[in-house]
Amino acid sequence: MNVKLICCAVIAVMLLCGCQASMESQNIMEDPPALEQSEQEPPPSDDRAKAEEKEEISPYPPAPPVCELAFTEIESFPFPFEDELLTDPMMRLLLSTEQALYDYDTMWQLLEENYPYLEAIKRDLGIDWEEVKAEYRQILEGHASYGYIWQGSFLQTIDDCLREFQSVGHLFPVSVDFRVTLLDIWKDYENAPYQNLRKIVGNPKSELFYQYEQRLRYPGSGGSNPDPEKDEPISVEGLTVISQDLSTGYVGGEVPYLKIESFLLWDDAAQAALEDFFSSISQEEHLIIDVRGNGGGNDSAWSVGIVPFLAQKEYEFNLFFAAKSGALNLWVEPEFDKNRGNFTRYTDDSWQKEFPYISPDMVTSMDIFLKLSSTLRCTDVPDKFHGKIWVLVDKYCYSATDMFVCFCKETGFATLVGTKTKGSGKGTEPYYMALPYSGLIVEYEACLTFNTDGTYNGISGTVPDIVPEEGRGALETCLMAINGELN
């Protein structure tokens, strides 16, 4: 994800990736039907069987050779090779075994050079990325038949491999639907990083690959998380639906309640209705904002559409980023390693004085250190809400939602009630690679980010201020806190 916008002037759109993490992988590994064969004679002798095995005719043409140059050494980097993709008689896409393995190896080379979380995951989660890399390469090779690997088997192997890393740092293969969403959102962006990303994601090879992928039973971006309210003894009264992602009401008879299903940008009509709701509760003492189950979306949805209308003051918010100066990171955003806008690049270890809670041994393999300074302003509107804000959170809060949660906790904008979030909110907008032969697009987050307790945000998530007791929901606990019933 170039660095995420925390306010319109600084950061650009943060897209929904968290949803991919919440979607259960669907099995697409159905082997192609066996080729019809004529009735066989009695089993031949061993020598004859070996001879016939050698003479067995493949239903496919000879596998093409792979490129002799490394993917990262050609001028078209990081765009896929222009080789044509092969289809079988049933119009299913095929990669030669060598092409599929080349793509797999290239993906790992780029991750090792650019993705910052591999050693952090090994350290904190005990997942050895080198073992995962070797295991799934062997699995991928095992899908070869007649020198080729079917697209479904290739996709499933990549998906299963990356899921081993538990969505840390937005590490996913990009799905059909999410790719369309990215291209649609980026089409009006004129700044160079987004134009570069759009060229990568929209290249012709990937376009063809995803046309074929759409025919597979492959999970799309999105999906719903379990309903966090289903076990709550407290119901929402007077529920009013503003949009697909926004609804308002009251709980406990008198406490205003706002449910946000997603931080995808809502339209002007929904924003106007939201502002009317804020004005209507200006005399209330409390407001509950429920983001449980919200997998992310766009930072500006909350930084521009919500916070300014509730904030009583300006909020300064600083983020620290540590990254690798990999070729893909710098190609996507050439200014990534320079001072730009509200970014400060550290050329020495002075960052340790400003962020003393970050241990230097947590960034040993990083060589770019940046600070992003942002100001979230308050809007002067009549009938402004002046009460206390509470935010309900859970383990499904990811990406842009976790960024909102981090902002609330670190600035004191709101009190958090619930369970620890999934994280990956304080980082950059995911970057993208298009694999050289297939055109499959893989996303990853370029920067390590940290919580104020010194943990990795992408791994540890955000811990709320109030954690409900066993058997008690976040909404019930929040109402108890409002009514002074908690110890």
Side-chain angles (χ1 to χ4, degrees), residues 122-134:
K122 185 176 182 179
R123 164 181 166 158
D124 282 19
L125 299 179
I127 300 171
D128 190 323
W129 62 270
E130 291 174 301
E131 291 181 0
V132 173
K133 173 184 175 181

Side-chain angles (χ1 to χ4, degrees), residues 57-354:
I57 299 176
S58 168
Y60 310 122
V66 297
C67 182
E68 295 181 359
L69 290 176
F71 179 54
T72 55
E73 294 178 0
I74 63 173
E75 291 183 1
S76 64
F77 171 77
F79 298 105
F81 299 141
E82 296 180 355
D83 306 60
E84 292 186 6
L85 292 168
L86 178 70
T87 58
D88 68 7
M90 297 182 67
M91 294 305 293
R92 290 173 303 199
L93 207 61
L94 300 171
L95 295 169
S96 73
T97 305
E98 290 78 10
Q99 289 174 337
L101 293 175
Y102 188 101
D103 271 18
Y104 183 84
D105 292 341
T106 300
M107 177 188 76
W108 271 103
Q109 177 190 347
L110 293 174
L111 289 177
E112 290 173 42
E113 293 175 354
N114 298 275
Y115 175 66
Y117 274 102
L118 292 176
E119 290 300 324
I121 290 171
K122 185 176 182 179
R123 164 181 166 158
D124 282 19
L125 299 179
I127 300 171
D128 190 323
W129 62 270
E130 291 174 301
E131 291 181 0
V132 173
K133 173 184 175 181
E135 176 186 355
Y136 282 92
R137 192 183 197 280
Q138 187 175 16
I139 290 173
L140 181 61
E141 196 168 7
H143 288 303
S145 177
Y146 294 109
Y148 286 90
I149 294 176
W150 177 52
Q151 182 187 26
S153 300
F154 176 75
L155 279 168
Q156 190 72 55
T157 304
I158 298 294
D159 186 64
D160 290 345
C161 174
L162 298 186
R163 283 180 183 274
E164 293 280 349
F165 300 101
Q166 303 178 17
S167 308
V168 172
H170 291 85
L171 184 58
F172 311 106
V174 171
S175 68
V176 173
D177 293 339
F178 189 56
R179 176 177 173 272
V180 172
T181 299
L182 290 172
L183 293 174
D184 183 61
I185 292 177
W186 289 339
K187 67 182 178 182
D188 297 324
Y189 287 9
E190 297 180 356
N191 55 326
Y194 283 99
Q195 288 303 311
N196 291 341
L197 288 172
R198 197 170 194 277
K199 290 177 183 177
I200 293 173
V201 174
N203 76 84
K205 186 70 162 288
S206 297
E207 178 69 31
L208 180 61
F209 183 85
Y210 279 88
Q211 287 178 9
Y212 280 94
E213 182 186 348
Q214 199 160 15
R215 305 175 185 181
L216 302 175
R217 295 187 295 104
Y218 192 72
S221 165
S224 59
N225 290 317
D227 182 3
E229 294 95 48
K230 67 179 181 179
D231 296 324
E232 285 276 11
I234 308 297
S235 60
V236 181
E237 304 160 8
L239 189 66
T240 300
V241 177
I242 294 178
S243 71
Q244 179 180 348
D245 298 321
L246 300 170
S247 56
T248 62
Y250 286 82
V251 293
E254 57 183 12
V255 181
Y257 172 90
L258 169 63
K259 175 65 177 179
I260 306 176
E261 301 281 356
S262 168
F263 280 117
L264 287 174
L265 285 175
W266 39 81
D267 60 23
D268 292 342
Q271 179 63 36
L274 185 60
E275 293 174 27
D276 288 343
F277 170 70
F278 291 149
S279 295
S280 72
I281 64 170
S282 61
Q283 302 303 312
E284 302 290 348
E285 296 182 3
H286 300 274
L287 167 63
I288 298 174
I289 300 177
D290 190 348
V291 295
R292 290 175 296 171
N294 185 334
N298 181 331
D299 277 342
S300 61
W302 62 263
S303 64
V304 176
I306 294 177
V307 171
F309 299 96
L310 297 174
Q312 303 299 315
K313 62 178 182 178
E314 292 185 352
Y315 288 97
E316 297 292 334
F317 195 49
N318 292 324
L319 295 174
F320 177 77
F321 300 137
K324 296 180 178 181
S325 55
L328 183 56
N329 289 345
L330 299 179
W331 192 95
V332 173
E333 187 177 356
E335 299 298 314
F336 183 76
D337 63 342
K338 300 178 182 177
N339 291 347
R340 182 170 59 88
N342 287 345
F343 289 96
T344 300
R345 183 181 182 186
Y346 297 93
T347 57
D348 53 28
D349 60 1
S350 60
W351 62 266
Q352 296 179 28
K353 296 180 181 179
E354 292 191 63

